[in-house]
Amino acid sequence: MAGGTFITLEGGEGAGKTTLIRSLMDRLEKSGREVVITREPGGSPIAEAIREIILHVDHTGMDPLTEALLYAASRRQHLAERVLPALARGAVVVCDRFVDSSLVYQGYARGLGIDAVWEINRFATEGRMPDLTLYLDLDPEVGLSRIEESGRGKVDRLDLESLDFHQRVREGYRQVAAMFPERIVTLDAAGDPGSLKEIVWKYVSDKLDTL
Ligand code: TMP
């Protein structure tokens, strides 16, 4: 396996992944390691182009299987072009979302089935899973109101889903976290942001020490 460390962050809308990734980046860079911060869907030019298609507000008629395949296609391109080369150089790669998002959003919340979506993604990733996944658990009502309050200008197709869909996303994450207890850590994203940063850093630094 490649020498780097692959860390992913997961969570529903407004859970605070972006803020935590920024603080992680600062700390990791101070440790003198090469750090690659990236996101899905996207993270490389071709993968970002696929993201545009998936999230476009005009594409509400997208078939759920098409959606799952496009996420997997975007993931494959990003992995091949950006993530695997960085891991091969020994970098720490921190990615905002990865396979778990597809298992949860497409597999569970959209109802395609976690196993079916895993099959597509196993093919797309050749089974390369993160070394550590931090799942930020938050009541979706709180997450969505955080987004509203922050005035984040852009609304994408998934933000337009009903609260019920976002509740299913939370249930799906809890199910997927229980399937991979050795890899996924569940963190309470409703608490004090300062303490959350420290907890995240503890898990990440412990993982870097053990690999
Ligand atoms: P973002 O808002 O975190 O950038 O993610 C864009 C949206 O895409 C978000 O609502 C979650 C969704 N998504 C999936 O449905 N499946 C996936 O595999 C990924 C990576 C994201």
Side-chain angles (χ1 to χ4, degrees):
M1 190 191 288
T5 308
F6 187 20
I7 295 165
T8 57
L9 271 93
E10 293 283 352
E13 322 304 308
K17 291 182 281 102
T18 313
T19 314
L20 277 170
I21 287 174
R22 262 191 231 120
S23 101
L24 249 185
M25 180 173 78
D26 290 345
R27 290 177 111 151
L28 283 168
E29 278 177 346
K30 278 187 198 128
S31 77
R33 296 168 193 266
E34 181 191 350
V35 187
V36 173
I37 304 290
T38 187
R39 70 163 182 182
E40 286 203 351
S44 78
I46 298 170
E48 287 286 338
I50 301 172
R51 177 189 173 97
E52 290 291 313
I53 297 171
I54 302 172
L55 296 179
H56 200 288
V57 284
D58 289 348
H59 295 171
T60 46
M62 190 179 288
D63 171 73
L65 269 172
T66 306
E67 184 186 67
L69 290 164
L70 285 175
Y71 276 117
S74 164
R75 176 162 302 128
R76 171 66 201 171
Q77 183 62 30
H78 174 236
L79 191 71
E81 197 178 334
R82 190 123 188 254
V83 177
L84 293 179
L87 292 173
R89 292 194 303 272
V92 181
V93 177
V94 180
C95 189
D96 185 342
R97 301 192 181 280
F98 192 61
V99 169
D100 299 313
S101 282
S102 283
L103 299 181
V104 168
Y105 283 77
Q106 282 66 55
Y108 188 85
R110 288 246 190 267
L112 293 181
I114 291 176
D115 291 346
V117 174
W118 169 240
E119 281 307 309
I120 300 169
N121 278 278
R122 198 161 53 94
F123 177 68
T125 61
E126 299 175 277
R128 181 56 167 108
M129 291 299 275
D131 299 303
L132 172 68
T133 298
L134 302 162
Y135 160 51
L136 303 179
D137 180 53
L138 186 66
D139 179 342
E141 280 197 62
V142 176
L144 293 171
S145 67
R146 278 185 187 173
I147 293 178
E148 219 166 281
E149 280 159 24
S150 73
R152 193 185 83 176
K154 211 173 130 284
V155 172
D156 66 38
R157 191 168 58 82
L158 276 109
D159 293 335
L160 300 176
E161 290 286 349
S162 64
L163 181 60
D164 185 55
F165 177 82
H166 294 290
Q167 296 283 13
R168 284 204 300 282
V169 166
R170 190 184 201 193
E171 280 169 28
Y173 267 122
R174 289 177 164 180
Q175 202 156 312
V176 169
M179 284 166 64
F180 301 102
E182 70 299 339
R183 172 175 64 83
I184 304 181
V185 176
T186 299
L187 301 170
D188 179 6
D192 167 56
S195 330
L196 187 57
K197 278 181 195 168
E198 293 309 313
I199 295 168
V200 163
W201 179 242
K202 168 111 187 65
Y203 278 107
V204 169
S205 50
D206 283 356
K207 180 55 71 178
L208 294 176
D209 287 346
T210 56
L211 284 178

